[in-house]
Amino acid sequence: MAEQSQTNSIQARIAALNLGQVGRAPITAYASKDDIPPEYTQTRPQIEQRSQSISVPQTSASNALSSNGIGNEPIGPRRHGVLPPPTNIVRTGQRVSQPAKPVPAPPPRLPERKMSTQPSPALPPRRPSENLQLSRKASNESISSTFSNISTMSALSNGTAKTVHSRTPSMDGSRVKAPVFDPSTLPPLPPKRTKDDVEKRYQDIEKSKAFPGYKDVERARMPLVGTKSTSSVATVEIKPPPNTPSLPPRPARPASGTATTRVSPERPPPMPARSALSYGMNRPHAQAPTDGANGRATGPGPANPGAPPPVPLTSRPDITELHSTNPKAQPQIPTSAPSCLLCRDLSAPDAHAAKFPRESVPSLDWIATQLTAPFSSPTDQARAIFTWLHHNISYDVEAFFNNRVQPSTPASTLMSGLAVCEGYAGLFTAIATTAGLESVVVGGHGKGFGFSALPPGAPLPAEYSTHAWNAVKIDNGEWKLIDCCWGAGNVNGKGQPYNKHFSPRFFTMSNDEFGLRHFPTNKSQFFRSGGRRVSWEEYIIGDTGGALLQVYSGVAEKEGISETTFLPKYLKLPVRPSAPVRFQFSRICEHWDPVRNGAGKPYVFILAIHGIDGREDDFVPFDTNGMFWWADVVPQKLGAPGQRVSAYTVETLNGQSGRGLSVEEYRLKKGRVGMSFGGLAMWELA
């Protein structure tokens, strides 16, 4: 009993000791009572009476906060890093009993606080904000920071638990404030340009327009300065771009009172009665048969089988709507009658375009300026580009006939010098638009190489595209259709070389004639007179009267003969007893002058026939009034079926040029002197 009472008294003392250690550091386990430090056995001091305070009832939340340590750390058994002493210690050999644990007595209650009757001391007066001495009055950020600090101090002085933080840009340590403006630290202004500097600048601009590479040339010509790295420096001479060559002198203007060549407006005599032939069109673009000795045609012969397909033409342009505007840089010789595009003298732009070989062209901009700068007329500018393409771009026959045509650009065409139709059209528009002209590429169907007319009764094919050409705005704002590809030359077939033959008619022919061999995919690009549009069926079938006669376009163009004026218009010519057959043609317009616009005085034109039953050849001259040529022949004297009737020019007599020879002079020398001929047109007798 003594041990039990002693044990109970020790446990009671430990419990009482634990109650007395509330709010103190925990006590570790000691071997005996004497080993406990005296500070742990001291009694809890009395709580001082607080004045001027109000007791706040405790809640669970407030108790939790008061029992915590620093900040918001969770409640735990550790106090200052020391664990509380263990209460259940069992020694070896000790008998364990489970006595009833006494309920510890609650700690004594705190004495009640007395309400203070003394008033709270007044706060010291606050200084007004106007008296604050700010270090930098010009900085809004500093002002904001100062007031923020004042607000923070006021909140602390009032004893509030929450600190007021006012974040301002000036509190961000990573931001650097702008320095104080000081005009004395600004760099000096650059010197003003003098009058000489401005003039030199304008001179440089003018030189760069004419010679883009002149600065490089001048820099290359500057003397070299010796350096320590080498004792000799090799110089490279850079040649400047070729100067724009002067244009050839124009013939002097005829003196006042000098008679100019006028074409008589007189019509040819009426055709013989009962003639069923009518005024029609022809099939052009073929080479005249010539002999190998002197290049002259000696008689009728077959058409060139490798020639491009024919060009059917229907009408001449309206002369009143095609007045020319001569360029200021290349004055033209005035004429007594107004001129049209067909008879306009375009020798100046043609001669100018031949002076710029493709190999010496530095850029697209440079060639556009050089070709068009001497001319103020859009027509002459477009003609110079058209002619330049003939001289410098060749048709890529190898790629075309081997099906290896690749898409091209104006730059690639200019570099290679080879193109098909789209390459010609694209390069023309690129140069024209760079020079300030309005031009577009037109795509569609073209009756070119390999095209053949539909046989009677054949089904109508679907519309398809095979060709490309251009539309350019010339004088008087007129949209003109041109074909640079067909105007530069023609092809003769696979394995045959490209024939670079200039055909200016693909620049001068009217849009109505142009449309007989060109059908645009965009139906707004017909550009025909009166805005007329044709259907695909009308275009692809063409003339249903049969094949057209063969016209050798090279001679016709050179002599100013209109290919649409030939009669009879069809290739097959029946041989039947009837009224005389009229063979007829005329000039392209009434103001076309063979001396001014052509190669010289006109030739005498003759018709080669074969007599009755084809047994007697004869050469009948065409009568003329200067505008029309005609010859009436009895059908029986034309020849036998299967033979050919041809029209020729008398080019030489006894080795001398036949230009200027009259019909009477020809009749006197016929059969007495040697003559050579040039083919003009051909019909087949049926």
Side-chain angles (χ1 to χ4, degrees), residues 13-23 44 104-107:
R13 292 179 63 185
I14 292 174
L17 181 62
N18 290 336
L19 291 176
Q21 298 299 324
V22 175
R44 184 177 182 181

Side-chain angles (χ1 to χ4, degrees), residues 29-58:
Y30 296 95
S32 63
K33 178 180 176 181
D34 298 332
D35 296 334
I36 300 175
E39 61 268 16
Y40 289 165
T41 59
Q42 295 178 2
T43 59
R44 184 177 182 181
Q46 295 295 328
I47 300 175
E48 297 180 359
Q49 296 292 333
R50 295 184 179 180
S51 62
Q52 301 178 2
S53 63
I54 301 173
S55 61
V56 180
Q58 294 183 354

Side-chain angles (χ1 to χ4, degrees), residues 289-322:
T290 58
D291 58 16
N294 53 16
R296 307 296 185 182
T298 56
N304 187 355
V311 179
L313 306 176
T314 55
S315 62
R316 293 179 297 171
D318 187 0
I319 298 175
T320 60
E321 297 180 357
L322 295 176

